[in-house]
Amino acid sequence: MRSQRISYKGEVSEENKELLRLYLNYSARKGLKKRTRENYEYELINFIKYLNNKYLLDVTERDVKEYIDEQKRMGNSVSRIRFKISTLNSFYTYCVNSRRIERNFMDNINRPSVKREGVILEKKELEKIRRELKKQDNLQLECYVNLLMSSMISPKYIPLIKWNNIRFEENCIELNKDDEGLFVVIFFDDYTKELLKKLKYLRWKKRTKCNYVFITRYEKKHKPVTTVSLNRWVRDLGRTLNIEGLTNQCIKRSAMNLYIEKGMDIDKLKEIVPFKSYFKITKEEKKEIEKELNEYYPYFGKRIK
């Protein structure tokens, strides 16, 4: 059952309104997107109402901890709670930078972990996986994990991908109709694009006669990889990196969680990852989706150069 936003009733004082206005103007100058600012504003107003209009600069660490405990009791999802904490952290970081307070007590607030099958990784852990994969002599595995991380693709689509499905100039993969009769479009970042180009060149150099991107060798022939093999690849990677319980779903959910923490609506994310349509997607639609993903891109660098 999907978690619903929990709203509080009440008024917001003029001094809190002014503080919010200054913070949101600062966020706009720093380049924070309009939708993110609107989500932050909603969460901060809700926080003020919960505290019965207490002045935000008088808020204590205890106030925040009690607020988070209240969200848990009321059934708010872990992802929403983590976003609330991110919102408050952003606001009080601004307050420190503008010398309104001396320190950001949000540093002492623990973010709840998502308890699902496998483990949920933080941004620094996903980026560590990227770095460690560079050291291994397995370009195909590096391509797969980075594609999974940047596109949040379901592993079931991986065995279907052929080289002629990849649109390098548009950072996406276009698949023909799936079992539901829908066209599927999967977006990836520049980092993954460069890896895929390297893999394609390596296959050409070795004269590998197989048009599938992710392959295994069986009875002296190259065939598309199976989801069973994909599961084994990631489990073995987890053992190598000492990450217990690492799975395909773990990486996918961890990546999605980062987008949600950055402020992307979970329903919108599920709608476009992957994007499905009864009709072939237009270039304009691709640009719109890429813009949406770019806005909340949680890794280093940009999706599109």
Side-chain angles (χ1 to χ4, degrees):
M1 187 173 180
R2 189 175 294 143
S3 168
Q4 299 295 322
R5 273 182 168 179
I6 297 171
S7 300
Y8 295 92
K9 296 180 180 180
E11 301 295 326
V12 178
S13 67
E14 290 302 318
E15 60 180 355
N16 273 327
K17 285 181 181 178
E18 177 63 12
L19 196 53
L20 284 178
R21 184 186 68 80
L22 293 171
Y23 164 67
L24 293 169
N25 287 344
Y26 166 82
S27 299
R29 291 195 301 273
K30 294 289 287 185
L32 205 64
K33 300 297 183 179
K34 181 180 178 182
R35 183 172 297 179
T36 305
R37 298 199 307 271
E38 290 172 348
N39 288 336
Y40 278 10
E41 182 180 20
Y42 172 88
E43 294 296 350
L44 287 167
I45 288 174
N46 213 29
F47 180 58
I48 293 169
K49 290 178 178 179
Y50 163 79
L51 292 173
N52 294 318
N53 211 6
K54 186 174 184 176
Y55 188 36
L56 284 172
L57 295 185
D58 293 333
V59 169
T60 65
E61 183 179 323
R62 181 176 179 178
D63 290 328
V64 174
K65 287 181 177 179
E66 290 177 350
Y67 176 63
I68 299 304
D69 288 340
E70 174 77 1
Q71 302 309 302
K72 293 176 182 177
R73 285 195 297 271
M74 295 181 73
N76 237 322
S77 71
V78 170
S79 294
R80 289 198 189 280
I81 292 173
R82 288 173 68 95
F83 180 63
K84 291 175 188 294
I85 294 173
S86 295
T87 300
L88 292 172
N89 183 60
S90 173
F91 172 75
Y92 285 108
T93 297
Y94 156 75
C95 290
V96 171
N97 293 339
S98 58
R99 298 182 180 178
R100 287 175 167 79
I101 58 176
E102 291 185 1
R103 70 180 188 89
N104 184 0
F105 55 78
M106 291 301 299
D107 293 337
N108 300 326
I109 304 297
N110 295 322
R111 300 189 184 198
S113 59
V114 183
K115 295 181 180 178
R116 291 175 178 163
E117 180 185 350
V119 293
I120 296 296
L121 305 174
E122 301 287 344
K123 175 183 176 180
K124 61 183 180 182
E125 294 173 301
L126 291 174
E127 291 183 341
K128 179 184 176 182
I129 290 175
R130 279 185 155 182
R131 291 193 299 270
E132 291 298 322
L133 281 168
K134 283 185 178 181
K135 301 174 184 178
Q136 299 189 23
D137 186 24
N138 191 334
L139 184 56
Q140 178 170 246
L141 176 62
E142 188 178 3
C143 281
Y144 170 61
V145 173
N146 279 280
L147 179 60
L148 186 62
M149 202 182 293
S150 70
S151 70
M152 297 155 283
I153 185 177
S154 171
K156 72 177 183 180
Y157 294 115
I158 295 294
L160 306 177
I161 302 173
K162 297 181 179 180
W163 288 112
N164 54 13
N165 294 130
I166 300 179
R167 308 288 180 262
F168 285 108
E169 69 282 0
E170 296 174 319
N171 280 48
C172 72
I173 298 166
E174 292 184 8
L175 297 177
N176 293 326
K177 292 186 177 182
D178 64 3
D179 50 10
E180 297 175 344
L182 297 169
F183 290 100
V184 178
V185 182
I186 298 148
F187 294 86
F188 51 82
D189 63 5
D190 280 322
Y191 188 84
T192 305
K193 175 168 68 175
E194 294 309 312
L195 290 174
L196 287 168
K197 285 183 175 180
K198 288 181 182 178
L199 182 62
K200 186 176 184 180
Y201 173 75
L202 183 64
R203 296 274 173 80
W204 172 81
K205 193 174 180 181
K206 291 184 175 181
R207 296 195 172 113
T208 305
K209 294 181 179 179
C210 185
N211 195 32
Y212 287 94
V213 177
F214 298 98
I215 58 177
T216 55
R217 193 172 179 82
Y218 180 71
E219 294 182 349
K220 298 183 180 180
K221 291 184 179 180
H222 289 105
K223 295 186 177 181
V225 70
T226 64
T227 53
V228 173
S229 294
L230 294 175
N231 291 334
R232 188 183 68 251
W233 289 1
V234 174
R235 281 199 307 271
D236 291 346
L237 176 64
R239 294 190 189 101
T240 302
L241 301 180
N242 294 317
I243 302 176
E244 186 177 351
L246 189 66
T247 64
N248 292 297
Q249 286 300 314
C250 158
I251 296 174
K252 176 185 174 182
R253 288 170 177 168
S254 298
M256 293 184 77
N257 209 48
L258 292 185
Y259 277 90
I260 295 166
E261 283 185 20
K262 292 268 289 190
M264 190 168 192
D265 183 76
I266 187 171
D267 296 325
K268 181 63 177 178
L269 185 59
K270 289 180 177 178
E271 181 184 317
I272 62 179
V273 178
F275 182 82
K276 295 183 179 183
S277 174
Y278 284 106
F279 306 97
K280 284 197 172 182
I281 185 173
T282 64
K283 287 187 177 181
E284 289 72 23
E285 286 176 313
K286 288 178 185 176
K287 287 181 180 178
E288 190 63 31
I289 294 171
E290 196 62 57
K291 180 181 177 182
E292 190 85 31
L293 290 170
N294 248 339
E295 182 172 339
Y296 301 100
Y297 187 58
Y299 305 109
F300 41 77
K302 299 280 188 181
R303 290 186 64 89
I304 296 295
K305 291 180 180 177

